[in-house]
């Protein structure tokens, strides 16, 4: 009698991929630098390096965008977080769980958290969109401390030096294009 036994050779094993250099940038070109602030009208990009020891192509990688500590599921697996999805004052992070289509690697959190900010054209520390705070400010740091935006010399609450800017440079309540009294004047 004869007996035959077939012993299969072990098949190839798959190694899970890894992600490195995980960060958020406002630039898509190159690797983009990690940032801590982004203006409200900028897109955010998930930047990372994908590595697989078997040389497998990336397939099914999970990207999660978090506002504060909450995952915003409507942005799952997007490498770009559109500016329309963010608002001034929010803080964003993201995670990457790399996949080669067979195995998932470890979830990696971005090295940076990004705060969404407003422009501050006059450099006074108040964002341009904060009209109530920024209505009478200037690059030199003078503000309308008494919050009256009154340009008359009879202003009993006049600041030591009242300087204003914006569409109403003399802060008299008239838009400069319609204001003939002090149009273009920033001090009085």
């Amino acid at each position: 009698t004869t007996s035959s036994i077939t012993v299969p050779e072990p098949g190839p094993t798959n190694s899970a991929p890894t992600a490195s250099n995980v960060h958020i940038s406002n630039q898509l070109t190159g690797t983009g630098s990690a940032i801590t602030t982004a203006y409200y009208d900028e897109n955010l990009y998930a930047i990372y390096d994908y590595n697989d020891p078997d040389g497998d192509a990336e397939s099914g990688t999970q990207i999660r965008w978090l506002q504060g500590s909450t995952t915003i599921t409507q942005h799952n697996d997007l490498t770009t977080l559109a500016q329309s999805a963010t608002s001034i004052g929010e803080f964003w992070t993201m995670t990457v769980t790399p996949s080669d289509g067979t195995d998932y690697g470890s979830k990696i959190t971005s090295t940076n958290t990004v705060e969404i900010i407003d422009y501050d054209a006059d450099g006074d520390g108040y964002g341009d969109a904060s009209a109530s705070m920024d209505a009478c400010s200037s690059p030199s740091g003078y503000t309308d401390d008494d919050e009256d935006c009154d340009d008359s010399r009879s202003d009993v609450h006049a600041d030591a030096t009242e300087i204003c800017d914006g569409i109403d440079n003399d802060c008299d309540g008239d838009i400069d294009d319609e204001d003939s009294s002090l149009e273009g004047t920033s001090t009085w």
Side-chain angles (χ1 to χ4, degrees), residues 1 25 38 43 54 72 102 112 121 127 129 135 141 154-155 170 176 181:
T1 63
S25 180
N43 292 333
D54 305 319
I72 308 301
T102 302
N112 59 326
S154 63
D155 177 10
D170 56 7
D176 290 342
S181 63

Side-chain angles (χ1 to χ4, degrees), residues 21 23-35 45 47-48:
N21 193 28
H23 63 278
I24 301 171
S25 180
N26 57 352
Q27 300 173 1
L28 187 56
T29 58
T31 58
S33 300
I35 58 172
Y45 301 100
I47 306 293
Y48 61 94

